Amino acid sequence: MRYISTRGAAPALDFEGVTLAGLANDGGLYVPEAWPSLSRDDIAGLAGLSYAETAVRIMAPFVGDSLTSDELRALCEEAYGRFDHAAVTPLTQLDGQHWLMELFHGPTLAFKDVALQLLGLLFERFLSNRDTHLTVVGATSGDTGSAAIDALAGRAKVDVFMLHPLGRVSDVQRRQMTTVLSPNVHNIAIQGSFDDAQAIVKGLFADRDFATRFDLSAVNSINWARLMAQIVYYFYAAVRLGAPERAVAFSVPTGNFGDVFAGYAAARMGLPVARLIVATNVNDILHRAIAEGDYSVGQVTPTAAPSMDIQVSSNFERLLFELHARDGAALAATMGGFETSRALRLTDAMRGQASGLFSSARIDEDGMAMAMRWAFERAAELIDPHTAIGLAAAREAGLARNVPVVTLATAHPAKFRDAVERATGVRPSLPARFAGLFDREERFTTLPATREAIRDYVAGHAVERV
Ligand SMILES: Cc1ncc(COP(=O)(O)O)c(C=O)c1O
Ligand SMILES: N[C@@H](CCOP(=O)(O)O)C(=O)O
């Protein structure tokens, strides 16, 4: 399998190459040159397999020659062996139509663990026979940071610099990052928003000299390996609910468009997906884009679902690439215009194409709280604010009663216990392994939200290529 950049000008790479590179050097994102395809029999053959074995079957075509299937299996068994539920991503039924897919049974209680536990092992495996020290620079609105830090802390050939927006993540999220004191972990609170953090990270990659000097790599969903690992649970859930005989819809709490793009990839690979519902909070650029074709950047409003307080969604570029008929030069021109004007319009043809699979909804804070209460009163389930946005969107989507709708439960409710308590009156508790989280020493550096400040800090603490 080879990977090409959405902007058409970077060299094509194999799976090992894209995993280590993160972002393409033309500013684009890597995507598979062609979507692998699974037949109905292949999909039916996934029934009854363990999560790890399902992962091997789905990811093998993407990994190509970069790993043998025994190596891939060993990595999947190790990564998913760290989850505290035997099914890894279990389904819970809420009523006759609605299900939750619980993606929060990993070490840091969010869906990010599904991909980042594997990515940590992939880095280690690919670096084992290279004389390279990676400098991972990432941006987080709370969950990617803790999952990446858990996956990379203490690894000999990687340093991780994680930027979070000061004061805009939950206390549990922050402490999950800042109480990890390994020397290779560098937490930075920036005086700005998540969008500022993400723009700084992309800016550092765009500085080719800097990116080469420090062997920059990415753990955000700009890294293809992140999305690849997330495709697996769409197949795993759909097969449990009757695929390939029955199509399943998914409602996805969306910020950076990574999770829902993984659902798109599953559909492109042959999974019968009835609908992908893009659920946003009041930071609704993606809802406006899908519903009206208006992808224009507004101000970020802090909400009780802070991990979705995002305006510029990095993976939307991967969908735009598909909607530009995979023409990298055309997309590079579109993105150039967007970077200047902070706005772009989808043509009617693009919107028409997207609407075959995607729909969207914007859920405000009241809608979110109501969904938390509904899940609790109706099914005795405590759900986190992000999941609640997905569930509210699922319930208002108006899909035929015979279509099962799976809402992705992207975080454990205890990560956002204040918001959950406000909505339901119940304060969810953290699993026992987090006892003491609030007594531990925290370490982070606060910096201005400028590329220069972050570049200087990274340069002062990272390992330079010899
Ligand atoms: C809990 C939670 N839900 C949803 C999202 C949005 O996912 P994505 O950025 O892949 O759209 C995030 C952040 O990425 C998150 O942390
Ligand atoms: N919501 C995310 C933001 C980063 O998203 P990613 O999927 O691109 O890593 C977070 O919690 O950090």
Side-chain angles (χ1 to χ4, degrees), residues 7-65:
R7 301 203 190 174
L13 298 176
D14 65 4
F15 177 70
E16 177 172 341
V18 288
T19 302
L20 294 176
L23 194 66
N25 69 12
D26 58 1
L29 278 70
Y30 277 111
V31 287
E33 197 165 38
W35 293 108
S37 158
L38 270 70
S39 66
R40 286 176 73 84
D41 285 350
D42 293 336
I43 296 170
L46 299 173
L49 297 184
S50 68
Y51 190 88
E53 191 55 36
T54 306
V56 174
R57 300 267 180 109
I58 301 301
M59 296 193 295
F62 293 111
V63 168
D65 297 336

Side-chain angles (χ1 to χ4, degrees), residues 7-213:
R7 301 203 190 174
L13 298 176
D14 65 4
F15 177 70
E16 177 172 341
V18 288
T19 302
L20 294 176
L23 194 66
N25 69 12
D26 58 1
L29 278 70
Y30 277 111
V31 287
E33 197 165 38
W35 293 108
S37 158
L38 270 70
S39 66
R40 286 176 73 84
D41 285 350
D42 293 336
I43 296 170
L46 299 173
L49 297 184
S50 68
Y51 190 88
E53 191 55 36
T54 306
V56 174
R57 300 267 180 109
I58 301 301
M59 296 193 295
F62 293 111
V63 168
D65 297 336
S66 294
L67 296 171
T68 66
S69 64
D70 284 348
E71 285 173 319
L72 178 59
R73 184 166 294 106
L75 296 184
C76 289
E77 282 170 359
E78 186 173 347
Y80 300 120
R82 292 198 66 204
F83 281 59
D84 62 16
H85 196 293
V88 181
T89 61
L91 288 171
T92 301
Q93 190 161 12
L94 295 176
D95 69 7
Q97 181 168 34
H98 292 280
W99 302 74
L100 293 177
M101 173 160 49
E102 296 180 359
L103 298 172
F104 51 71
H105 292 283
T108 70
L109 309 177
F111 79 101
K112 311 287 181 169
D113 289 320
V114 177
L116 281 159
Q117 284 298 312
L118 183 68
L119 186 58
L121 297 173
L122 288 169
F123 278 156
E124 186 165 87
R125 164 69 183 75
F126 292 147
L127 290 173
S128 63
N129 40 20
R130 289 176 182 236
D131 191 17
T132 303
H133 186 102
L134 281 193
T135 302
V136 165
V137 187
T140 186
S141 50
D143 289 327
T144 293
S146 46
I149 287 169
D150 184 272
L152 298 178
R155 295 205 188 271
K157 290 178 144 188
V158 184
D159 269 274
V160 54
F161 294 82
M162 189 52 65
L163 279 53
H164 73 266
L166 180 67
R168 297 202 199 178
V169 299
S170 80
D171 55 354
V172 174
Q173 287 179 311
R174 190 193 68 251
R175 283 186 158 270
Q176 282 182 311
M177 297 187 277
T178 58
T179 60
V180 179
L181 304 181
S182 303
N184 73 327
V185 171
H186 312 267
N187 276 294
I188 302 171
I190 62 152
Q191 294 161 321
S193 66
F194 170 79
D195 285 306
D196 297 328
Q198 184 153 262
I200 292 168
V201 170
K202 284 196 169 176
L204 294 180
F205 274 92
D207 181 342
R208 301 270 274 271
D209 174 54
F210 184 83
T212 311
R213 247 175 83 207

Side-chain angles (χ1 to χ4, degrees), residues 201-402:
V201 170
K202 284 196 169 176
L204 294 180
F205 274 92
D207 181 342
R208 301 270 274 271
D209 174 54
F210 184 83
T212 311
R213 247 175 83 207
F214 291 102
D215 283 303
L216 285 201
S217 188
V219 286
N220 282 108
S221 54
I222 52 179
N223 190 321
W224 168 257
R226 279 275 314 274
L227 298 197
M228 173 192 75
Q230 292 173 211
I231 298 169
V232 174
Y233 47 69
Y234 286 91
F235 278 93
Y236 190 63
V239 166
R240 290 183 158 206
L241 293 175
E245 301 309 325
R246 183 155 82 144
V248 175
F250 294 91
S251 182
V252 189
T254 299
N256 236 350
F257 208 77
D259 216 2
V260 76
F261 191 82
Y264 170 85
R268 292 300 304 263
M269 291 169 74
L271 186 69
V273 176
R275 191 130 292 271
L276 289 173
I277 302 163
V278 176
T280 76
N281 63 19
V282 296
N283 297 295
D284 63 352
I285 181 169
L286 288 166
H287 168 57
R288 281 186 282 114
I290 286 162
E292 298 157 24
D294 168 25
Y295 190 73
S296 58
V297 178
Q299 282 297 317
V300 183
T301 305
T303 73
S307 296
M308 289 159 60
D309 292 345
I310 298 177
Q311 285 286 329
V312 182
S313 285
S314 54
N315 286 287
F316 197 56
E317 175 161 346
R318 286 187 162 115
L319 182 66
L320 288 173
F321 180 65
E322 303 286 326
L323 298 178
H324 280 66
R326 299 195 132 222
D327 178 342
L331 182 64
T334 300
M335 294 311 294
F338 172 72
E339 277 152 22
T340 312
S341 66
R342 314 283 288 158
L344 69 82
R345 277 213 74 80
L346 267 59
T347 63
D348 288 348
M350 288 177 188
R351 272 179 61 206
Q353 198 183 326
S355 68
L357 187 58
F358 293 98
S359 60
S360 66
R362 170 195 198 269
I363 307 297
D364 65 15
E365 297 281 279
D366 287 345
M368 180 197 72
M370 273 166 54
M372 280 198 254
R373 278 195 290 280
W374 184 85
F376 186 57
E377 284 159 15
R378 177 77 198 234
E381 288 292 328
L382 284 180
I383 60 173
D384 97 288
H386 306 79
T387 306
I389 286 167
L391 180 59
R395 294 190 65 231
E396 66 180 46
L399 291 163
R401 292 291 301 165
N402 62 346

